[in-house]
Amino acid sequence: MKLGLDISGGDFAPRANVLGAILALEQLPDDVELVLIGRENDITSILEEKGVKSDRISVVDAPDVITMEDHPTRAIPQKPNSSISVGFELLSQNKIDSFASTGNTGAMLVGSMYKVNAIPGVIRPCITSVLPTVNGGDSIILDVGANADCKPDVLYQFASLGSLYAKNVMNISDPRIGLLNIGEEEGKGNLLTQSAYKLMKESKDFNFIGNIEGRDLFTGKADVVVCDGFTGNVVLKQAEGMYTITRQLGIKDDYLERFNYENYGGTPILGVNSDVIIGHGISNDVAVKGMLCLAYDVAKSELTQKIKEAFK
């Protein structure tokens, strides 16, 4: 298995990404190879500094960089020699099994849609985030930013995608799907959630348990929480903000520490033809290691193939 990593993306590139790859190499199985994509001189100098020589690491030179300020739609065609563009080219040619980056999220989404394409039948690919639950487990929420405006059939597909992810990557045999709403009753919510509820309650594609409220997000009431990307991103940023505040206040708690982004590394883009993993822009080496380990778990589970089969 070959995992591609964008070395030039993120706030602490290239060093954090190379160091994260070194950490991941120690944890991943021996048959996993890492393909480091970025400015070759930068990558090799850090590897030499750390005394790392391994036939499980290869370097692909990509001299250009797509920055956070670059327009996502224009960046890939305007910078074909960038690490993100080269990474997607390798992915589309099956020269790597997955591609991970902590760089420009918009460019990663655009590359996924136009370089490897959406799986036939998927209306809109989406991204997820982990919700640590008080019982020690994890739930996921989707979408968290790729699709700010959604229609009911899109939310229905998010439920299907989330259920497949929970089954195959999180190893939950019969994931409970909840629709995030302002009340538990069927008639609550706006036109979107009311219509989505009607579609989802009749589904045989997943285990729909009904509406859940914001207070239920971290209780484990649902394994998969479905919402539009605008709402999901607000939830995600609120959770990140509360974690930051607890750290600033000096509050130490094992449960609250599970909100540290370093624990999760990244999230896959669900619904595209290849495995694409997006990491947080502020990722350090530990988070990059986690992102690569997630990339391995997703590839090993054959999640993309199982989504293709489900959406035939």
Side-chain angles (χ1 to χ4, degrees):
M1 183 186 297
K2 292 186 177 182
L3 307 180
L5 175 64
D6 170 17
I7 296 300
S8 301
D11 294 353
F12 304 112
R15 190 171 186 82
N17 295 324
V18 177
L19 296 182
I22 295 170
L23 292 176
L25 202 65
E26 299 170 357
Q27 190 166 328
L28 293 168
D30 292 341
D31 61 347
V32 176
E33 300 178 32
L34 299 182
V35 180
L36 309 186
I37 306 162
R39 292 170 175 164
E40 185 172 6
N41 290 339
D42 291 343
I43 298 170
T44 54
S45 64
I46 297 172
L47 291 174
E48 289 172 0
E49 173 195 331
K50 294 298 179 180
V52 175
K53 294 181 180 180
S54 174
D55 57 5
R56 295 171 58 201
I57 291 180
S58 60
V59 177
V60 175
D61 187 41
D64 293 339
V65 178
I66 293 178
T67 69
M68 297 299 185
E69 288 72 36
D70 283 325
H71 191 281
T73 305
R74 296 192 292 266
I76 290 180
Q78 289 179 351
K79 295 184 175 181
N81 294 318
S82 66
S83 51
I84 289 180
S85 298
V86 172
F88 275 114
E89 190 64 28
L90 293 173
L91 191 63
S92 67
Q93 296 175 5
N94 297 316
K95 293 183 178 179
I96 54 178
D97 297 294
S98 73
F99 178 47
S101 174
T102 61
N104 188 309
T105 299
M108 289 294 289
L109 290 167
V110 170
S112 297
M113 291 297 294
Y114 294 102
K115 287 290 187 178
V116 297
N117 303 316
I119 291 171
V122 174
I123 304 170
R124 292 190 184 181
C126 62
I127 53 179
T128 75
S129 183
V130 174
L131 300 174
T133 60
V134 293
N135 61 8
D138 290 317
S139 300
I140 60 168
I141 181 171
L142 69 168
D143 180 39
V144 292
N147 305 279
D149 297 301
C150 295
K151 293 183 178 180
D153 55 348
V154 173
L155 293 190
Y156 183 97
Q157 286 199 349
F158 289 171
S160 294
L161 292 168
S163 182
L164 289 164
Y165 180 83
K167 283 180 182 178
N168 293 290
V169 180
M170 300 172 70
N171 298 314
I172 300 172
S173 59
D174 189 24
R176 297 159 298 160
I177 312 298
L179 179 64
L180 186 58
N181 210 332
I182 59 172
E184 295 183 355
E185 299 84 1
E186 179 175 347
K188 287 293 183 70
N190 55 21
L191 293 176
L192 172 61
T193 54
Q194 289 179 32
S195 298
Y197 189 106
K198 292 177 181 177
L199 288 177
M200 296 167 73
K201 75 174 183 177
E202 304 294 341
S203 175
K204 296 181 181 179
D205 296 326
F206 46 79
N207 176 19
F208 182 56
I209 63 169
N211 291 326
I212 70 165
E213 299 182 75
R215 63 188 176 190
D216 300 318
L217 286 171
F218 306 106
T219 64
K221 185 174 182 178
D223 300 302
V224 177
V225 178
V226 175
C227 61
D228 62 85
F230 181 92
T231 303
N233 194 264
V234 171
V235 170
L236 173 62
K237 296 301 172 60
Q238 182 188 40
E240 290 178 353
M242 288 303 298
Y243 172 71
T244 301
I245 290 172
T246 60
R247 292 290 297 270
Q248 291 173 345
L249 294 175
I251 299 173
K252 295 186 179 298
D253 180 87
D254 289 342
Y255 171 66
L256 293 176
E257 194 56 35
R258 292 177 58 213
F259 284 82
N260 187 340
Y261 76 95
E262 293 178 9
N263 296 324
Y264 307 103
T267 177
I269 300 177
L270 299 180
V272 293
N273 276 301
S274 297
D275 296 337
V276 180
I277 311 295
I278 296 175
H280 205 302
I282 60 172
S283 292
N284 58 17
D285 56 345
V286 176
V288 172
K289 177 198 75 171
M291 180 174 64
L292 287 169
C293 290
L294 175 64
Y296 170 74
D297 289 339
V298 171
K300 183 182 177 183
S301 74
E302 298 182 340
L303 175 64
T304 298
Q305 183 60 37
K306 290 170 183 174
I307 293 175
K308 289 179 182 179
E309 293 170 359
F311 278 79
K312 280 183 179 178

